[in-house]
């Protein structure tokens, strides 16, 4: 790939990095990344990957922008309310960096379409808010051998792990199966400090760029957790689980399933 | 008394203690929303009551965390 003068200027701060250079920027520019969910996590991921010049960014989301999203979903602006999130995100990416090819899927990721959609990408970013889809992304990526980044946020906490199927612990190795529907509140039910989404999303975007360029050590076999109240970050070592239902010695999950979705009522303990 | 490392921090308590009691002491309201490692090994959910924790054991509560977009 030959960069134009404008591109060399645009990506100069990457090119200056000894570990990245022109070669690394070429890898970024040839990269194809799918972002599942254009919300709190997907927004910073999409913006930073667009700024970095990732060649192809796919975005899947079946929702429209709501006024309550704008507190943290920084790719959507006030005039975007009621617009499809994928369209709103695409418009911002195009404005930020016309080099990026954006492919939008105004749809939900399901067991029926997951493999067909992810097959065209080098890396998948989980920016979803619910466990059925998080497990679906894990199982689909493990089946297809696609590396992905899991991210989760709630209230003042966040967590992330990168999965390289066949080589590292997967999300299911750690969390086994979705919690009972309604057991775990989502951000829409329990709240989340908006900037947490930025912290976590930029960690995920960083993992994508590290994967594409081959720089550094990925966040594999360890779950990064942080709490914003204390600003403490922890790396908890985890390892491949031989009993994992999808990547263990005797996998029992060979087909993708759509788990029951939590309803929008928080479980009331009081 | 013994020392147990819970989520990276030392807690002093009477040992041995069952994992389910440790969960209660740490105010985990819904045990179904945590995945638990003891000394780096995952503990099956149905073994929470029978698993005994002793001094110098390392216990990590890993919480289910969603976030992001409804998709």
């Amino acid at each position: 790939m030959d960069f134009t003068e404008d591109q060399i200027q645009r990506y100069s701060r990457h090119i200056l990095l000894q570990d990245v250079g022109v070669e690394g920027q070429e890898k970024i520019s040839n990269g194809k990344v799918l972002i599942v969910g254009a919300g709190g996590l997907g927004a910073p991921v999409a913006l930073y990957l667009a700024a970095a010049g990732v060649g192809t960014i796919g975005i899947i989301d079946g929702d429209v922008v709501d006024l309550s999203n704008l507190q943290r979903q920084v790719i959507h602006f006030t005039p975007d309310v009621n617009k499809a999130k994928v369209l709103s995100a695409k418009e911002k990416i195009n404005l930020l960096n016309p080099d990026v090819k954006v492919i939008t899927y105004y749809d939900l990721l399901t067991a029926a379409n997951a493999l067909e959609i992810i097959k065209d990408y080098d890396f998948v970013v989980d920016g979803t808010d619910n466990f059925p889809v998080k497990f679906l992304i894990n199982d689909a990526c493990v089946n297809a051998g696609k590396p992905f980044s899991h991210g989760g946020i709630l209230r003042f906490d966040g967590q992330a792990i990168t999965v390289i199927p066949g080589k590292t612990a997967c999300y299911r190795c750690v969390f086994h199966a979705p919690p009972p529907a309604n057991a775990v509140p989502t951000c829409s039910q329990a709240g989340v400090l908006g900037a947490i989404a930025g912290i976590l999303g930029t960690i995920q975007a960083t993992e994508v760029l590290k994967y594409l360029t081959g720089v550094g050590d990925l966040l594999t076999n360890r779950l990064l957790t942080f709490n914003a109240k204390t600003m403490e970050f922890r790396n908890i070592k985890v390892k491949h689980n031989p009993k994992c239902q999808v990547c263990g010695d005797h996998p029992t999950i060979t087909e993708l399933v759509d788990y029951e979705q939590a309803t929008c009522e928080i479980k009331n303990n009081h | 008394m013994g020392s147990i490392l819970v989520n990276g921090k030392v807690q002093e308590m009477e040992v041995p203690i069952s994992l389910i009691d440790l969960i209660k002491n740490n105010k985990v309201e819904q045990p179904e929303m945590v995945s638990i490692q003891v000394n780096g090994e995952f503990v099956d959910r149905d073994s929470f009551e029978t698993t005994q924790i002793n001094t110098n054991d390392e216990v990590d509560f890993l919480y289910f965390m969603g976030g992001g977009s409804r998709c």
Side-chain angles (χ1 to χ4, degrees), chain B residues 24-55:
Chain B
K24 284 177 194 155
N25 289 354
N26 280 274
K27 297 184 179 137
V28 178
E29 286 178 15
Q30 296 165 283
E32 67 267 31
M33 61 185 277
V34 287
S35 184
I36 299 181
Q37 278 196 144
V38 177
N39 300 327
E41 300 289 340
F42 287 107
V43 179
D44 287 337
R45 203 164 293 279
D46 51 18
S47 304
F48 284 1
E49 288 186 28
T50 53
T51 300
Q52 295 292 315
I53 307 299
N54 274 294
T55 196

Side-chain angles (χ1 to χ4, degrees), chain A residues 111-132:
Chain A
N113 66 17
L115 289 172
E116 180 61 24
I117 290 173
I118 68 173
K119 74 173 169 48
D120 296 325
Y121 295 91
D122 302 319
F123 195 101
V124 177
V125 177
D126 162 21
T128 65
D129 78 343
N130 66 83
F131 299 99

Side-chain angles (χ1 to χ4, degrees), chain A residues 36-126:
Chain A
V36 186
L41 299 173
V45 171
L47 287 171
Y48 272 99
L49 295 187
V54 168
T56 305
I57 297 178
I59 307 176
I60 176 165
D61 197 309
D63 226 344
V64 297
V65 178
D66 185 84
L67 192 58
S68 66
N69 298 151
L70 304 184
Q71 163 257 21
R72 66 199 176 283
Q73 302 181 12
V74 293
I75 204 166
H76 310 302
F77 301 164
T78 304
D80 298 317
V81 169
N82 294 327
K83 191 185 282 182
K85 284 185 177 178
V86 290
L87 182 61
S88 164
K90 181 181 178 166
E91 288 172 357
K92 307 318 184 310
I93 293 172
N94 287 340
L95 284 169
L96 175 57
N97 190 346
D99 290 348
V100 178
K101 179 183 172 192
V102 184
I103 300 170
T104 58
Y105 310 84
Y106 184 35
D107 205 350
L108 303 176
L109 194 75
T110 66
N113 66 17
L115 289 172
E116 180 61 24
I117 290 173
I118 68 173
K119 74 173 169 48
D120 296 325
Y121 295 91
D122 302 319
F123 195 101
V124 177
V125 177
D126 162 21

Side-chain angles (χ1 to χ4, degrees), chain A:
Chain A
M1 173 181 279
D2 286 325
F3 288 118
T4 64
E5 272 189 38
D6 275 358
Q7 285 171 323
I8 287 171
Q9 200 176 346
R10 179 185 285 268
Y11 304 122
S12 61
R13 300 304 190 277
H14 274 164
I15 293 169
L16 279 168
L17 284 171
Q18 213 166 36
D19 288 332
V20 180
V22 173
E23 203 179 306
Q25 185 59 47
E26 279 178 356
K27 290 176 183 166
I28 294 170
S29 299
N30 289 325
K32 296 178 177 180
V33 178
L34 177 69
I35 301 170
V36 186
L41 299 173
V45 171
L47 287 171
Y48 272 99
L49 295 187
V54 168
T56 305
I57 297 178
I59 307 176
I60 176 165
D61 197 309
D63 226 344
V64 297
V65 178
D66 185 84
L67 192 58
S68 66
N69 298 151
L70 304 184
Q71 163 257 21
R72 66 199 176 283
Q73 302 181 12
V74 293
I75 204 166
H76 310 302
F77 301 164
T78 304
D80 298 317
V81 169
N82 294 327
K83 191 185 282 182
K85 284 185 177 178
V86 290
L87 182 61
S88 164
K90 181 181 178 166
E91 288 172 357
K92 307 318 184 310
I93 293 172
N94 287 340
L95 284 169
L96 175 57
N97 190 346
D99 290 348
V100 178
K101 179 183 172 192
V102 184
I103 300 170
T104 58
Y105 310 84
Y106 184 35
D107 205 350
L108 303 176
L109 194 75
T110 66
N113 66 17
L115 289 172
E116 180 61 24
I117 290 173
I118 68 173
K119 74 173 169 48
D120 296 325
Y121 295 91
D122 302 319
F123 195 101
V124 177
V125 177
D126 162 21
T128 65
D129 78 343
N130 66 83
F131 299 99
V133 181
K134 287 190 182 299
F135 278 87
L136 174 66
I137 291 169
N138 180 74
D139 296 352
C141 285
V142 168
N143 275 331
K146 295 287 180 191
F148 76 98
S149 163
H150 153 77
I153 49 173
L154 192 67
R155 299 191 182 101
F156 292 88
D157 296 285
Q159 66 178 208
I161 187 170
T162 299
V163 174
I164 309 294
K167 293 185 176 164
T168 72
C170 80
Y171 181 65
R172 200 183 271 281
C173 287
V174 181
F175 288 106
H176 316 298
N182 292 334
V184 180
T186 64
C187 292
S188 59
Q189 298 158 348
V192 61
L193 191 72
I196 301 282
I199 297 175
L200 218 289
T202 49
I203 287 171
Q204 292 186 286
T206 305
E207 287 292 289
V208 173
L209 296 176
K210 282 165 59 186
Y211 177 79
L212 292 176
T213 56
V215 172
D217 300 318
L218 292 168
L219 186 60
T220 51
N221 291 326
R222 51 205 165 110
L223 183 73
L224 173 73
T225 67
F226 74 88
N227 175 274
K229 288 183 179 173
T230 57
M231 270 305 170
E232 284 185 326
F233 285 66
R234 280 191 78 210
N235 264 274
I236 302 164
K237 280 187 190 164
V238 295
K239 55 188 179 190
H240 172 249
N241 184 348
K243 289 190 280 187
C244 176
Q245 288 175 290
V246 71
C247 74
D249 296 340
H250 305 286
T252 51
I253 296 170
T254 49
E255 278 186 7
L256 301 182
V257 286
D258 291 313
Y259 290 96
E260 185 194 350
Q261 294 274 354
T263 61
C264 285
E265 293 298 320
I266 188 164
K267 184 172 173 181
N268 192 346
N269 292 315
H270 305 290

